């Protein structure tokens, strides 16, 4: 009774409670629905319009086809053909890593299974007994020690491939398309599901991807190996949804799409990747700021990368997802790591930050 009398004497409390109830929940706007929401101005997201114009001017001077910057689940700025489905190249590997997270989480796949146990081999010269001891975990971290010819390699990858038998499984990191392609074979064999149909059902559909269709994937086959590559074609705005999923540790609107432990392990550095930082479960990881030229990235940053300048960069400390695309269907179109690193530097320079973080901005300037 005393509580109700107090409430009647303080009508402003009732008004305040009604106002709070009417507010949208904290998660509202964090995830896009049918379409992305945008900030009214970059300044509303803590970015300088002038600074972002400088970034766009740089992008206009190189072969950038599309850029999309997302902060707190909303678009800060975007330009180019963000709805066009372009080949993502090696970003395909990070997409498949997500499928593995689901399969490992439900017990369909074990990371400790060996190639021998899974009856994985290849054409002549077939795998040796030592190579067959490699595990799924070693394939997914590019540490299998299997240096059989592989499909869909760049000339540089083929030229740098170590000699067969030069490293035992688990002892050496090499960015190896044989590992990545064999993972596709293992996934289909273990789950009985086509990679692209699985991606449609398990990831694209719950994320409400706007442009992706299962027909936007294809298998690339050839004589060098029985393990097909699996190129994806995807739009920038759908890749941004995938980045947002990983930013939220596999959670989408309160639903666990990928186990959070898998996401955490995926974006941890399991190997030293030199100037690129580290390598996780088919993801590139920033280590001590090392990741891209010209910019010192915060701890916890990670990216998916594809040949020709395709990048999906996630910076959790800034609640930020950045997608960069190049129309590599046109011969000669390409953006290198230095050019993209400069773009990232300009975008982060446009971010309005507290004075306490001014030295980080100065550090980025020194890395120019």
């Amino acid at each position: 009774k005393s509580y109700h009398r107090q409430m009647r004497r303080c009508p402003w409390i009732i008004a305040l409670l009604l106002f709070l109830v009417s507010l949208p929940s904290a998660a509202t706007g964090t995830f896009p629905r049918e379409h992305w929401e945008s900030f009214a101005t970059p300044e509303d997201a803590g970015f300088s319009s002038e600074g972002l114009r400088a970034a766009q001017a740089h992008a206009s001077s190189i072969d950038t086809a599309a850029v999309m910057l997302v902060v707190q689940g909303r678009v800060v700025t975007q330009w180019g053909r963000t709805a066009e489905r372009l080949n993502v190249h090696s970003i395909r590997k990070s997409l498949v890593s997500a499928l593995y997270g689901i399969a490992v989480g439900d017990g369909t796949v074990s990371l400790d299974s060996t190639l021998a146990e899974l009856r994985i081999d290849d054409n002549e010269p077939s795998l040796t007994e030592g190579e067959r001891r490699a595990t799924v975990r070693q394939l997914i971290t590019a540490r299998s020690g299997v240096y059989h010819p592989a499909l869909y390699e760049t000339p540089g990858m083929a030229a740098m491939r170590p000699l067969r038998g030069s490293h035992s499984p688990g002892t050496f990191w090499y960015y190896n398309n044989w590992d990545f392609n064999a993972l596709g074979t293992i996934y289909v064999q273990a789950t009985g599901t086509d990679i692209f149909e699985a991606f449609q059902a398990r990831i694209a559909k719950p994320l409400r991807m706007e442009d992706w269709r299962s027909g936007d994937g294809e298998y690339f086959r050839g004589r060098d190996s029985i393990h097909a590559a699996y190129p994806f074609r995807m739009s920038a705005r759908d890749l941004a949804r995938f980045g947002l999923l990983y930013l939220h540790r596999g959670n989408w609107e309160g639903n666990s799409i990928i186990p959070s432990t898998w996401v955490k392990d995926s974006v941890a550095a399991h190997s030293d990747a030199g100037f690129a930082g580290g390598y996780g479960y088919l993801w590139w990881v920033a280590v001590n700021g090392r990741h891209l030229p010209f910019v010192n990235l915060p701890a916890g940053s990670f990216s998916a990368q594809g040949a020709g300048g395709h990048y999906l960069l996630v910076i959790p400390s800034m609640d930020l997802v950045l997608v960069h695309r190049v129309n590599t269907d046109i011969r000669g179109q390409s953006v290198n790591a230095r050019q993209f690193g400069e773009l990232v530097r300009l975008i982060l320079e446009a971010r309005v930050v507290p004075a306490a973080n001014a030295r980080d901005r100065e550090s980025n300037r020194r890395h120019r």
Side-chain angles (χ1 to χ4, degrees), residues 206-344:
L207 269 56
R208 298 189 183 94
M209 287 189 173
E210 297 179 68
D211 308 305
W212 162 261
R213 303 167 302 185
S214 57
D216 291 327
E218 64 175 330
Y219 292 100
F220 180 88
R221 305 183 189 278
R223 295 181 179 180
D224 285 337
S225 173
I226 64 173
H227 302 294
Y230 38 89
F232 281 69
R233 300 186 73 85
M234 190 172 290
S235 68
R237 61 189 185 182
D238 282 349
L239 270 178
R241 289 181 186 246
F242 185 70
L244 191 64
L245 174 67
Y246 266 71
L247 176 66
H248 287 276
R249 294 293 180 96
N251 182 281
W252 193 266
E253 296 183 312
N255 299 311
S256 177
I257 307 300
I258 306 166
S260 61
T261 53
W262 179 265
V263 175
K264 180 181 178 181
D265 289 343
S266 295
V267 299
H270 296 274
S271 300
D272 186 340
F275 292 116
Y279 199 70
Y281 288 176
L282 309 183
W283 285 87
W284 299 91
V285 183
V287 176
N288 297 325
R290 289 184 291 119
H291 199 55
L292 295 166
F294 303 135
V295 62
N296 186 21
L297 290 181
S301 303
F302 56 93
S303 68
Q305 303 181 17
H310 298 270
Y311 290 90
L312 169 58
L313 175 64
V314 181
I315 306 180
S317 64
M318 299 180 185
D319 205 352
L320 182 153
V321 175
L322 176 65
V323 177
H324 179 267
R325 307 306 306 280
V326 175
N327 188 359
T328 43
D329 291 339
I330 300 176
R331 189 178 181 83
Q333 294 281 295
S334 179
V335 169
N336 61 40
R338 293 172 67 85
Q339 293 169 324
F340 178 68
E342 174 66 4
L343 177 62
V344 174

Side-chain angles (χ1 to χ4, degrees), residues 3-73:
Y3 169 80
H4 290 295
R5 283 197 298 272
Q6 185 177 2
M7 291 295 288
R8 283 197 297 271
R9 292 170 185 170
C10 302
W12 63 270
I13 295 178
I14 298 173
L16 177 61
L17 290 173
L18 290 173
F19 171 73
L20 292 174
V21 169
S22 69
L23 287 175
S25 66
T28 299
T30 301
F31 299 94
R33 292 186 176 274
E34 286 74 18
H35 305 289
W36 284 91
E37 294 182 9
S38 299
F39 287 96
T41 68
E43 281 72 18
D44 291 337
F47 282 79
S48 158
S49 293
E50 182 180 357
L52 290 178
R53 281 194 292 270
Q56 187 170 358
H58 170 67
S60 298
S61 72
I62 56 179
D63 287 334
T64 298
V67 167
M68 191 165 180
L69 174 63
V70 174
V71 172
Q72 298 174 5

Side-chain angles (χ1 to χ4, degrees), residues 115-128:
L115 298 180
E117 291 168 342
L118 296 169
R119 299 182 179 180
I120 296 296
D121 205 339
D122 210 330
N123 55 21
E124 294 293 338
S126 57
L127 302 191
T128 66

